[in-house]
Amino acid sequence: MTPVIEVDRLEKSFGHKKALRGVNLKVFEGEFIVLFGPNGAGKTTLLKSISTLIRPTRGRILFKGKEIDDGSISLRETIGLVSHNTLLYEDLTAFENLLFYARMYGVPNPKQKIEELLHMVGLYHRKDDVVRTFSRGMLQRLTIARAILHDPPVLLLDEPYTGLDVQAMKILDDLLYNLKDGLRTFIMTSHDIQKGFEHATRLAILHSGEIVFDKKKEEISVLEFEEEFWKWVKEKEPVF
Amino acid sequence: MQTLMIAYAVVWAIIFGYLVVQYMRISRLENEIENLKKAIERKS
Amino acid sequence: MNKKALDIILYGLLLIGMFVSLYLIFQYAPPAINPTNNQTWYEQKIFYVHVSSAWTGFLAFFVVAVASIIFLRNESRIADLVAQTSAEIGIVFTTLTLISGPLWAKSFWGRYWDWSEPRLVTALILWFLYIGYLILRSSVGEDFRRARFAAVFGIIAFLDVPIVFLSVRWYRASHPPLLVFEPGGLDPSMKVAFFFTLFIFTVFYVVLLRNALRIKLLQDELNRLKEVI
Amino acid sequence: MEVGKGKRAGFLRQVFYIVAKDFRAELRTKELFNSMFLFAMLALVIFNFSFAGKMPVRVLSGAMWVSFLFASVLGLNRSFVKEHEKGCIEGLLIAPCERSVIYFGKFLGNLLFIFLVELIALPLISIFFSRSEIFSKPFELAGILVLGSFAISAIGTILSAITVNTRTRELLLPILLFPLILPVLIASVEVTAYIFQPKGSIIQWLRLIGIYDIIFIIVPYLLFDYVVEE
């Protein structure tokens, strides 16, 4: 079975700094991988590389066996990204923001789809308000609506729980459960072990640009994993 | 005519002087690197 | 050892070449006659250094553009360093052009600057463009992006140069200045002096670039070694 | 896996969506347009008082173009700042479109804003500086305004995409843009002066702007990927 995403000896350096030093990762259909790792481990760089935002220094990324290159525009249709930024225009309304992205992706029946999504994330009553006036939690919900607008079979989530209030967390949890249909593939980064473990089908730890741990959820318990995680965070973290 | 000639000579001298300074800097850097390499060898 | 030998040859060539070019300019080549008043015109000798430095500056900026293209193709650090140092050197020589040009113009036109002289104005615009290039370099934090932005600007800037030249020349056609100097036929001995000076300036450029490049690479190496320790 | 996959919009459509989005956001706040317009008019007022008495035709066309250029810099500066505020540029980069769609979208948006400012400024210039010629040759004037602004926007858009990533941002754009745009400025001033007061020939100037427009729309288009990619 060909993996949906295959990361092959991926390296990325910014000047002298090496953010990724040879990452290998195979993600299969329906998997929910949660990547853990201390700050600066390269989690964001890895997600950005997979979402074609960053051009790798060395190595390859394959989507269903096809290599990402300049001509792979249609591959971007298969990816949804929730990053640190909202990727929303502050001077546009919630509806206008989604409409713009829907058109760029060529979503069929965009208006109907957007209204559905706005109901789903509980923002329908604010659909004609300018995004500038939204709270952090509302923004994050709209961000997720934007990411799944085109029904991407692959969803990349970069610390989606950061800065959320309890209500927003609940909505995000429900959303993720709804989206996990066994066909969709997820890669999420997190440093909240509980939350990450809850959703994951597979757990991995990224440390200074390398994957140092990668196991299926059945093979390990929360406590064991927590121990493993702290081992990596402590061991190689520079001592100040 | 003479002032011009002096001006020319000054321009030449400045450029050449700069080249000499560059050369000294190269030698100094090369020496430093040599010393560091030796220090690393001793350490290991 | 090979490098050392090349150093000695280049430095020796320059030292001797300097004296030879001084001799050629001031002794060998005859002084020119000013066509406006038919008097001996010593200041014409500025011409040798003026045109040579203008040529070298232009060469340097050409190298910036070529190195920029190479950088965008293979992202090599050396190409980026060549572009940067070549821009720095180019600015030095263009500055020299901009100082010597008006001095020469004063002796010929009776004024330091004429906006309808395309070569001079183009040199000035070149100077602005590449000062901007260096400011751009100094205001981007990340090494990698800096190199890319600089390369893109380096290419655009160089493409602009011939159009600037053309526009100033056409501007002159519609706003004729009092008198325009076109360097017509040079005396053969003047030509010898001129081409020799041109050659020496080009060697200057090559040695400056080579040295600056070596310094930067050695510093890289030094930093790397310091990190190891 | 082909869940709800629609047909992706074509190149020009996507470009249009980007322009439409910028235009809609601008319609809501109008902050950019207002400041550009006011800036251009203020610059003209200042020019007027720097030249006591009626400005000669050539000086007036020069003053117009300098004011428009300065106003354009304001607009160009904001153009990519807005894309960077909430990381929207990332949203565009992961969208299924060529990177050049972003370049052409932003270019057209900037051109549109600049041209609108110029268009609204023209009648006022005609009144303030007693130049009725502005109304007798509206198409010629609009033509040269588009040709000149085309170049300002084409170069300005890629430079703005660069300078938005620098420490000095707003300060750097004019420093990089002005020397590059000089040939177009000379040519546009010459042509505008000719429209006011026909004298000599302007065919070579039009040719120069044409060549410039072609080169500096193609080259940034080729280089834009390198500017926005990490």
Side-chain angles (χ1 to χ4, degrees), chain A residues 90-158:
Chain A
E90 297 217 295
D91 293 328
L92 296 179
T93 65
F95 187 83
E96 287 166 350
N97 262 298
L98 294 185
L99 186 63
F100 168 64
Y101 281 111
R103 283 170 160 177
M104 291 300 281
Y105 280 94
V107 174
N109 298 328
K111 290 188 181 160
Q112 193 192 333
K113 174 83 189 170
I114 291 166
E115 288 186 358
E116 257 170 53
L117 274 175
L118 284 170
H119 277 300
M120 194 167 148
V121 297
L123 284 174
Y124 188 75
H125 61 295
R126 297 290 302 265
K127 80 178 173 77
D128 289 324
D129 288 350
V130 177
V131 165
R132 192 180 289 285
T133 60
F134 281 23
S135 71
R136 180 80 184 87
M138 289 159 75
L139 280 174
Q140 190 70 344
R141 274 138 67 189
L142 192 59
T143 304
I144 289 157
R146 184 200 52 76
I148 57 175
L149 191 60
H150 53 292
D151 254 325
V154 176
L155 206 57
L156 308 173
L157 304 135
D158 196 3

Side-chain angles (χ1 to χ4, degrees), chain A residues 53 76 89 100 104, chain D residues 11 14-15 18-19 21-22 79-80 83 88-95 97-110 157 161 221 224-225 228-229:
Chain A
L53 273 174
R76 294 200 205 116
Y89 293 94
F100 168 64
M104 291 300 281
Chain D
F11 190 94
Q14 287 181 323
V15 169
I18 291 180
V19 178
K21 158 208 71 119
D22 279 346
S79 167
F80 275 94
E83 297 291 347
C88 297
I89 185 81
E90 282 184 11
L92 295 179
L93 290 172
I94 57 167
C97 63
E98 306 257 354
R99 258 95 219 229
S100 49
V101 164
I102 307 171
Y103 172 71
F104 283 115
K106 299 307 280 181
F107 156 74
L108 274 179
N110 288 328
T157 301
Y221 153 72
F224 193 70
D225 283 21
V228 286
E229 263 172 23

Side-chain angles (χ1 to χ4, degrees), chain C residues 95-171:
Chain C
T95 310
L96 203 57
T97 315
L98 287 174
I99 294 170
S100 57
L103 289 176
W104 175 86
K106 175 76 176 157
S107 76
F108 191 70
W109 296 328
R111 53 200 151 101
Y112 286 110
W113 194 264
D114 191 299
W115 284 107
S116 52
E117 166 47 43
R119 276 165 294 250
L120 219 49
V121 177
T122 308
L124 180 68
I125 299 303
L126 266 176
W127 194 83
F128 280 128
L129 277 172
Y130 286 90
I131 290 279
Y133 175 89
L134 291 182
I135 296 178
L136 172 64
R137 291 198 74 104
S138 68
S139 56
V140 185
E142 297 163 72
D143 283 1
F144 184 68
R145 304 208 92 187
R146 164 173 58 224
R148 276 211 176 164
F149 293 158
V152 167
F153 185 72
I155 293 168
I156 293 180
F158 192 73
L159 286 175
D160 193 50
V161 173
I163 307 183
V164 171
F165 180 78
L166 211 63
S167 67
V168 182
R169 218 168 65 179
W170 287 348
Y171 172 85

Side-chain angles (χ1 to χ4, degrees), chain D:
Chain D
M1 283 283 266
E2 307 287 304
V3 222
K5 203 170 170 190
K7 204 172 166 340
R8 198 169 67 233
F11 190 94
L12 287 177
R13 276 233 139 140
Q14 287 181 323
V15 169
F16 168 76
Y17 293 147
I18 291 180
V19 178
K21 158 208 71 119
D22 279 346
F23 201 69
R24 177 161 298 185
E26 179 56 31
L27 267 183
R28 182 155 291 130
T29 60
K30 296 181 198 71
E31 54 186 14
L32 195 60
F33 187 81
N34 287 346
S35 8
M36 281 168 77
F37 178 70
L38 280 176
F39 192 91
M41 292 318 289
L42 280 170
L44 276 166
V45 171
I46 289 171
F47 273 120
N48 177 60
F49 285 106
S50 327
F51 292 91
K54 195 179 176 182
M55 284 197 248
V57 178
R58 207 169 173 293
V59 176
L60 176 66
S61 32
M64 269 168 59
W65 274 103
V66 171
S67 314
F68 293 157
L69 177 64
F70 285 178
S72 314
V73 169
L74 292 189
L76 289 166
N77 259 329
R78 294 296 300 166
S79 167
F80 275 94
V81 170
K82 277 188 178 148
E83 297 291 347
H84 273 257
E85 259 170 8
K86 294 293 164 194
C88 297
I89 185 81
E90 282 184 11
L92 295 179
L93 290 172
I94 57 167
C97 63
E98 306 257 354
R99 258 95 219 229
S100 49
V101 164
I102 307 171
Y103 172 71
F104 283 115
K106 299 307 280 181
F107 156 74
L108 274 179
N110 288 328
L111 177 58
L112 194 67
F113 288 144
I114 296 171
F115 185 59
L116 277 180
V117 167
E118 291 166 345
L119 223 53
I120 296 180
L122 270 186
L124 292 172
I125 292 173
S126 156
I127 293 166
F128 284 142
F129 299 96
S130 327
R131 291 273 167 206
S132 51
E133 301 96 309
I134 285 177
F135 289 114
S136 60
K137 290 174 186 158
F139 296 111
E140 287 92 332
L141 266 173
I144 185 60
L145 285 177
V146 169
L147 281 178
S149 312
F150 186 106
I152 295 175
S153 178
I155 288 265
T157 301
I158 192 165
L159 290 183
S160 157
I162 290 176
T163 55
V164 71
N165 294 291
T166 64
R167 274 193 297 274
T168 37
R169 272 194 185 179
E170 281 87 349
L171 295 177
L172 195 52
L173 180 63
I175 290 179
L176 300 183
L177 177 65
F178 289 173
L180 280 175
I181 209 71
L182 184 82
V184 174
L185 201 78
I186 298 176
S188 303
V189 171
E190 294 283 344
V191 174
T192 311
Y194 177 87
I195 292 172
F196 284 146
Q197 206 174 81
K199 201 172 78 184
S201 156
I202 49 158
I203 200 76
Q204 56 181 3
W205 292 118
L206 287 173
R207 206 176 289 151
L208 184 112
I209 303 178
I211 293 168
Y212 195 98
D213 282 352
I214 292 168
I215 292 179
F216 287 107
I217 194 78
I218 292 175
V219 172
Y221 153 72
L222 293 174
L223 296 176
F224 193 70
D225 283 21
Y226 298 109
V227 172
V228 286
E229 263 172 23
E230 268 182 68

Side-chain angles (χ1 to χ4, degrees), chain B residues 3-36:
Chain B
T3 32
L4 246 184
M5 220 166 138
I6 291 165
Y8 262 76
V10 168
V11 171
W12 280 166
I14 288 173
I15 300 180
F16 197 77
Y18 185 72
L19 287 177
V20 172
V21 171
Q22 271 188 324
Y23 194 77
M24 277 156 57
R25 192 132 170 245
I26 291 173
S27 320
R28 209 179 57 226
L29 280 168
E30 276 172 346
N31 278 337
E32 258 180 81
I33 288 172
E34 277 300 300
N35 290 340
L36 267 178

